[in-house]
PDB file of all heavy atoms in Angstrom:
ATOM      1  N   ALA A 301      50.753  89.691 -21.599  1.00 51.00           N
ATOM      2  CA  ALA A 301      51.602  88.623 -22.115  1.00 51.00           C
ATOM      3  C   ALA A 301      52.820  88.438 -21.278  1.00 51.00           C
ATOM      4  O   ALA A 301      53.506  89.373 -20.962  1.00 51.00           O
ATOM      5  CB  ALA A 301      51.989  88.912 -23.556  1.00 51.00           C
ATOM      6  N   SER A 302      53.126  87.254 -20.913  1.00 49.00           N
ATOM      7  CA  SER A 302      54.299  87.043 -20.076  1.00 49.00           C
ATOM      8  C   SER A 302      55.487  86.896 -21.006  1.00 49.00           C
ATOM      9  O   SER A 302      55.484  86.193 -22.040  1.00 49.00           O
ATOM     10  CB  SER A 302      54.168  85.670 -19.315  1.00 49.00           C
ATOM     11  OG  SER A 302      53.881  84.578 -20.231  1.00 49.00           O
ATOM     12  N   THR A 303      56.504  87.617 -20.563  1.00 50.00           N
ATOM     13  CA  THR A 303      57.782  87.596 -21.396  1.00 50.00           C
ATOM     14  C   THR A 303      58.670  86.464 -20.990  1.00 50.00           C
ATOM     15  O   THR A 303      58.436  85.750 -20.018  1.00 50.00           O
ATOM     16  CB  THR A 303      58.552  88.953 -21.061  1.00 50.00           C
ATOM     17  OG1 THR A 303      58.844  88.999 -19.697  1.00 50.00           O
ATOM     18  CG2 THR A 303      57.711  90.127 -21.493  1.00 50.00           C
ATOM     19  N   SER A 304      59.671  86.188 -21.813  1.00 47.00           N
ATOM     20  CA  SER A 304      60.511  85.031 -21.561  1.00 47.00           C
ATOM     21  C   SER A 304      61.380  85.320 -20.298  1.00 47.00           C
ATOM     22  O   SER A 304      61.838  84.350 -19.680  1.00 47.00           O
ATOM     23  CB  SER A 304      61.484  84.854 -22.724  1.00 47.00           C
ATOM     24  OG  SER A 304      62.245  86.059 -23.019  1.00 47.00           O
ATOM     25  N   ASP A 305      61.590  86.590 -19.981  1.00 54.00           N
ATOM     26  CA  ASP A 305      62.357  86.857 -18.740  1.00 54.00           C
ATOM     27  C   ASP A 305      61.633  86.480 -17.475  1.00 54.00           C
ATOM     28  O   ASP A 305      62.227  86.144 -16.487  1.00 54.00           O
ATOM     29  CB  ASP A 305      62.789  88.340 -18.673  1.00 54.00           C
ATOM     30  CG  ASP A 305      63.712  88.720 -19.913  1.00 54.00           C
ATOM     31  OD1 ASP A 305      64.340  87.742 -20.441  1.00 54.00           O
ATOM     32  OD2 ASP A 305      63.718  89.854 -20.192  1.00 54.00           O
ATOM     33  N   ALA A 306      60.274  86.588 -17.544  1.00 74.00           N
ATOM     34  CA  ALA A 306      59.461  86.243 -16.402  1.00 74.00           C
ATOM     35  C   ALA A 306      59.381  84.726 -16.092  1.00 74.00           C
ATOM     36  O   ALA A 306      58.809  84.423 -15.102  1.00 74.00           O
ATOM     37  CB  ALA A 306      58.075  86.872 -16.544  1.00 74.00           C
ATOM     38  N   VAL A 307      59.685  83.984 -17.078  1.00 81.00           N
ATOM     39  CA  VAL A 307      59.595  82.462 -16.942  1.00 81.00           C
ATOM     40  C   VAL A 307      60.835  81.946 -16.376  1.00 81.00           C
ATOM     41  O   VAL A 307      61.920  82.171 -16.897  1.00 81.00           O
ATOM     42  CB  VAL A 307      59.255  81.824 -18.312  1.00 81.00           C
ATOM     43  CG1 VAL A 307      59.166  80.353 -18.140  1.00 81.00           C
ATOM     44  CG2 VAL A 307      57.990  82.405 -18.864  1.00 81.00           C
ATOM     45  N   ASP A 308      60.727  81.152 -15.341  1.00 84.00           N
ATOM     46  CA  ASP A 308      61.918  80.564 -14.697  1.00 84.00           C
ATOM     47  C   ASP A 308      62.091  79.219 -15.458  1.00 84.00           C
ATOM     48  O   ASP A 308      61.272  78.359 -15.376  1.00 84.00           O
ATOM     49  CB  ASP A 308      61.646  80.295 -13.250  1.00 84.00           C
ATOM     50  CG  ASP A 308      62.743  79.722 -12.485  1.00 84.00           C
ATOM     51  OD1 ASP A 308      63.879  79.691 -13.127  1.00 84.00           O
ATOM     52  OD2 ASP A 308      62.618  79.300 -11.386  1.00 84.00           O
ATOM     53  N   PRO A 309      63.188  79.114 -16.134  1.00 83.00           N
ATOM     54  CA  PRO A 309      63.431  77.763 -16.852  1.00 83.00           C
ATOM     55  C   PRO A 309      63.590  76.598 -15.907  1.00 83.00           C
ATOM     56  O   PRO A 309      63.340  75.429 -16.395  1.00 83.00           O
ATOM     57  CB  PRO A 309      64.687  78.059 -17.714  1.00 83.00           C
ATOM     58  CG  PRO A 309      65.387  79.167 -16.891  1.00 83.00           C
ATOM     59  CD  PRO A 309      64.390  79.984 -16.264  1.00 83.00           C
ATOM     60  N   GLU A 310      63.904  76.730 -14.744  1.00 87.00           N
ATOM     61  CA  GLU A 310      64.029  75.635 -13.784  1.00 87.00           C
ATOM     62  C   GLU A 310      62.661  75.178 -13.278  1.00 87.00           C
ATOM     63  O   GLU A 310      62.604  74.149 -12.701  1.00 87.00           O
ATOM     64  CB  GLU A 310      65.014  76.028 -12.634  1.00 87.00           C
ATOM     65  CG  GLU A 310      66.365  76.417 -13.036  1.00 87.00           C
ATOM     66  CD  GLU A 310      67.041  75.193 -13.721  1.00 87.00           C
ATOM     67  OE1 GLU A 310      66.742  74.062 -13.409  1.00 87.00           O
ATOM     68  OE2 GLU A 310      67.920  75.492 -14.578  1.00 87.00           O
ATOM     69  N   ASN A 311      61.681  76.034 -13.386  1.00 89.00           N
ATOM     70  CA  ASN A 311      60.288  75.744 -12.926  1.00 89.00           C
ATOM     71  C   ASN A 311      59.593  74.998 -14.129  1.00 89.00           C
ATOM     72  O   ASN A 311      59.326  75.573 -15.101  1.00 89.00           O
ATOM     73  CB  ASN A 311      59.578  77.017 -12.485  1.00 89.00           C
ATOM     74  CG  ASN A 311      58.285  76.713 -11.784  1.00 89.00           C
ATOM     75  OD1 ASN A 311      57.726  75.585 -11.940  1.00 89.00           O
ATOM     76  ND2 ASN A 311      57.845  77.663 -11.054  1.00 89.00           N
ATOM     77  N   ASP A 312      59.299  73.751 -13.909  1.00 90.00           N
ATOM     78  CA  ASP A 312      58.708  72.915 -14.893  1.00 90.00           C
ATOM     79  C   ASP A 312      57.303  73.419 -15.226  1.00 90.00           C
ATOM     80  O   ASP A 312      56.934  73.476 -16.500  1.00 90.00           O
ATOM     81  CB  ASP A 312      58.591  71.425 -14.399  1.00 90.00           C
ATOM     82  CG  ASP A 312      59.986  70.799 -14.267  1.00 90.00           C
ATOM     83  OD1 ASP A 312      60.917  71.377 -14.911  1.00 90.00           O
ATOM     84  OD2 ASP A 312      60.092  69.800 -13.589  1.00 90.00           O
ATOM     85  N   PHE A 313      56.548  73.830 -14.250  1.00 90.00           N
ATOM     86  CA  PHE A 313      55.230  74.247 -14.561  1.00 90.00           C
ATOM     87  C   PHE A 313      55.164  75.475 -15.433  1.00 90.00           C
ATOM     88  O   PHE A 313      54.393  75.626 -16.416  1.00 90.00           O
ATOM     89  CB  PHE A 313      54.376  74.424 -13.159  1.00 90.00           C
ATOM     90  CG  PHE A 313      53.036  74.894 -13.351  1.00 90.00           C
ATOM     91  CD1 PHE A 313      52.030  74.012 -13.803  1.00 90.00           C
ATOM     92  CD2 PHE A 313      52.711  76.252 -13.158  1.00 90.00           C
ATOM     93  CE1 PHE A 313      50.713  74.438 -13.975  1.00 90.00           C
ATOM     94  CE2 PHE A 313      51.427  76.672 -13.237  1.00 90.00           C
ATOM     95  CZ  PHE A 313      50.438  75.817 -13.656  1.00 90.00           C
ATOM     96  N   GLN A 314      55.978  76.525 -15.012  1.00 88.00           N
ATOM     97  CA  GLN A 314      56.007  77.694 -15.738  1.00 88.00           C
ATOM     98  C   GLN A 314      56.531  77.520 -17.126  1.00 88.00           C
ATOM     99  O   GLN A 314      56.032  78.177 -18.166  1.00 88.00           O
ATOM    100  CB  GLN A 314      56.841  78.769 -15.041  1.00 88.00           C
ATOM    101  CG  GLN A 314      56.279  79.337 -13.739  1.00 88.00           C
ATOM    102  CD  GLN A 314      57.139  80.420 -13.106  1.00 88.00           C
ATOM    103  OE1 GLN A 314      58.196  80.820 -13.743  1.00 88.00           O
ATOM    104  NE2 GLN A 314      56.750  80.895 -11.930  1.00 88.00           N
ATOM    105  N   ARG A 315      57.500  76.681 -17.297  1.00 90.00           N
ATOM    106  CA  ARG A 315      58.137  76.438 -18.623  1.00 90.00           C
ATOM    107  C   ARG A 315      57.061  75.751 -19.545  1.00 90.00           C
ATOM    108  O   ARG A 315      56.885  76.159 -20.753  1.00 90.00           O
ATOM    109  CB  ARG A 315      59.381  75.532 -18.473  1.00 90.00           C
ATOM    110  CG  ARG A 315      60.130  75.385 -19.836  1.00 90.00           C
ATOM    111  CD  ARG A 315      61.341  74.512 -19.661  1.00 90.00           C
ATOM    112  NE  ARG A 315      61.086  73.212 -19.163  1.00 90.00           N
ATOM    113  CZ  ARG A 315      61.374  72.715 -17.988  1.00 90.00           C
ATOM    114  NH1 ARG A 315      61.932  73.535 -17.071  1.00 90.00           N
ATOM    115  NH2 ARG A 315      61.034  71.459 -17.660  1.00 90.00           N
ATOM    116  N   GLU A 316      56.310  74.723 -19.060  1.00 91.00           N
ATOM    117  CA  GLU A 316      55.296  74.029 -19.896  1.00 91.00           C
ATOM    118  C   GLU A 316      54.135  75.012 -20.216  1.00 91.00           C
ATOM    119  O   GLU A 316      53.613  74.943 -21.324  1.00 91.00           O
ATOM    120  CB  GLU A 316      54.780  72.758 -19.150  1.00 91.00           C
ATOM    121  CG  GLU A 316      55.908  71.763 -18.992  1.00 91.00           C
ATOM    122  CD  GLU A 316      56.419  71.269 -20.383  1.00 91.00           C
ATOM    123  OE1 GLU A 316      55.590  71.231 -21.272  1.00 91.00           O
ATOM    124  OE2 GLU A 316      57.597  70.925 -20.410  1.00 91.00           O
ATOM    125  N   MET A 317      53.778  75.855 -19.192  1.00 89.00           N
ATOM    126  CA  MET A 317      52.704  76.831 -19.483  1.00 89.00           C
ATOM    127  C   MET A 317      53.126  77.780 -20.555  1.00 89.00           C
ATOM    128  O   MET A 317      52.253  78.293 -21.341  1.00 89.00           O
ATOM    129  CB  MET A 317      52.304  77.515 -18.224  1.00 89.00           C
ATOM    130  CG  MET A 317      51.466  76.688 -17.249  1.00 89.00           C
ATOM    131  SD  MET A 317      49.883  76.092 -18.007  1.00 89.00           S
ATOM    132  CE  MET A 317      49.114  77.677 -18.305  1.00 89.00           C
ATOM    133  N   SER A 318      54.373  78.180 -20.585  1.00 89.00           N
ATOM    134  CA  SER A 318      54.834  79.144 -21.604  1.00 89.00           C
ATOM    135  C   SER A 318      54.725  78.468 -23.050  1.00 89.00           C
ATOM    136  O   SER A 318      54.313  79.142 -23.959  1.00 89.00           O
ATOM    137  CB  SER A 318      56.251  79.568 -21.324  1.00 89.00           C
ATOM    138  OG  SER A 318      56.810  80.388 -22.367  1.00 89.00           O
ATOM    139  N   PHE A 319      55.106  77.234 -23.073  1.00 90.00           N
ATOM    140  CA  PHE A 319      55.003  76.512 -24.359  1.00 90.00           C
ATOM    141  C   PHE A 319      53.582  76.380 -24.834  1.00 90.00           C
ATOM    142  O   PHE A 319      53.155  76.598 -25.941  1.00 90.00           O
ATOM    143  CB  PHE A 319      55.609  75.100 -24.345  1.00 90.00           C
ATOM    144  CG  PHE A 319      57.134  75.130 -24.004  1.00 90.00           C
ATOM    145  CD1 PHE A 319      57.714  74.070 -23.505  1.00 90.00           C
ATOM    146  CD2 PHE A 319      57.908  76.215 -24.499  1.00 90.00           C
ATOM    147  CE1 PHE A 319      59.115  74.058 -23.319  1.00 90.00           C
ATOM    148  CE2 PHE A 319      59.252  76.296 -24.261  1.00 90.00           C
ATOM    149  CZ  PHE A 319      59.868  75.164 -23.736  1.00 90.00           C
ATOM    150  N   TYR A 320      52.692  76.138 -23.874  1.00 91.00           N
ATOM    151  CA  TYR A 320      51.256  75.982 -24.079  1.00 91.00           C
ATOM    152  C   TYR A 320      50.620  77.286 -24.642  1.00 91.00           C
ATOM    153  O   TYR A 320      49.933  77.265 -25.666  1.00 91.00           O
ATOM    154  CB  TYR A 320      50.586  75.480 -22.911  1.00 91.00           C
ATOM    155  CG  TYR A 320      49.069  75.381 -22.976  1.00 91.00           C
ATOM    156  CD1 TYR A 320      48.465  74.315 -23.731  1.00 91.00           C
ATOM    157  CD2 TYR A 320      48.258  76.323 -22.313  1.00 91.00           C
ATOM    158  CE1 TYR A 320      47.084  74.302 -23.786  1.00 91.00           C
ATOM    159  CE2 TYR A 320      46.863  76.218 -22.509  1.00 91.00           C
ATOM    160  CZ  TYR A 320      46.234  75.229 -23.247  1.00 91.00           C
ATOM    161  OH  TYR A 320      44.938  75.111 -23.369  1.00 91.00           O
ATOM    162  N   ARG A 321      51.026  78.405 -23.972  1.00 90.00           N
ATOM    163  CA  ARG A 321      50.392  79.719 -24.414  1.00 90.00           C
ATOM    164  C   ARG A 321      50.971  80.111 -25.717  1.00 90.00           C
ATOM    165  O   ARG A 321      50.301  80.771 -26.560  1.00 90.00           O
ATOM    166  CB  ARG A 321      50.742  80.727 -23.351  1.00 90.00           C
ATOM    167  CG  ARG A 321      49.832  80.578 -22.086  1.00 90.00           C
ATOM    168  CD  ARG A 321      50.171  81.610 -21.042  1.00 90.00           C
ATOM    169  NE  ARG A 321      49.407  81.291 -19.793  1.00 90.00           N
ATOM    170  CZ  ARG A 321      49.945  81.571 -18.628  1.00 90.00           C
ATOM    171  NH1 ARG A 321      51.146  82.068 -18.448  1.00 90.00           N
ATOM    172  NH2 ARG A 321      49.180  81.338 -17.543  1.00 90.00           N
ATOM    173  N   GLN A 322      52.219  79.788 -26.012  1.00 91.00           N
ATOM    174  CA  GLN A 322      52.748  80.092 -27.329  1.00 91.00           C
ATOM    175  C   GLN A 322      52.083  79.317 -28.436  1.00 91.00           C
ATOM    176  O   GLN A 322      51.845  79.862 -29.520  1.00 91.00           O
ATOM    177  CB  GLN A 322      54.262  79.871 -27.310  1.00 91.00           C
ATOM    178  CG  GLN A 322      55.004  80.417 -28.605  1.00 91.00           C
ATOM    179  CD  GLN A 322      56.552  80.249 -28.452  1.00 91.00           C
ATOM    180  OE1 GLN A 322      56.980  79.714 -27.462  1.00 91.00           O
ATOM    181  NE2 GLN A 322      57.226  80.765 -29.389  1.00 91.00           N
ATOM    182  N   ALA A 323      51.825  78.083 -28.124  1.00 92.00           N
ATOM    183  CA  ALA A 323      51.131  77.250 -29.136  1.00 92.00           C
ATOM    184  C   ALA A 323      49.636  77.801 -29.351  1.00 92.00           C
ATOM    185  O   ALA A 323      49.121  77.796 -30.433  1.00 92.00           O
ATOM    186  CB  ALA A 323      50.976  75.758 -28.662  1.00 92.00           C
ATOM    187  N   GLN A 324      49.101  78.238 -28.212  1.00 91.00           N
ATOM    188  CA  GLN A 324      47.684  78.826 -28.347  1.00 91.00           C
ATOM    189  C   GLN A 324      47.719  80.069 -29.300  1.00 91.00           C
ATOM    190  O   GLN A 324      46.881  80.307 -30.168  1.00 91.00           O
ATOM    191  CB  GLN A 324      47.193  79.269 -26.973  1.00 91.00           C
ATOM    192  CG  GLN A 324      46.441  78.196 -26.300  1.00 91.00           C
ATOM    193  CD  GLN A 324      45.847  78.723 -25.021  1.00 91.00           C
ATOM    194  OE1 GLN A 324      46.415  79.542 -24.276  1.00 91.00           O
ATOM    195  NE2 GLN A 324      44.634  78.282 -24.642  1.00 91.00           N
ATOM    196  N   ALA A 325      48.754  80.887 -29.104  1.00 91.00           N
ATOM    197  CA  ALA A 325      48.872  82.127 -29.952  1.00 91.00           C
ATOM    198  C   ALA A 325      49.061  81.701 -31.436  1.00 91.00           C
ATOM    199  O   ALA A 325      48.521  82.368 -32.309  1.00 91.00           O
ATOM    200  CB  ALA A 325      50.017  83.013 -29.458  1.00 91.00           C
TER     201      ALA A 325
END
Side-chain angles (χ1 to χ4, degrees):
S302 59
T303 60
S304 58
D305 297 335
V307 177
D308 184 9
E310 300 297 332
N311 191 337
D312 296 339
F313 179 75
Q314 289 185 5
R315 186 175 64 251
E316 295 298 327
M317 283 302 297
S318 175
F319 294 156
Y320 175 73
R321 288 178 185 147
Q322 190 174 4
Q324 272 187 325

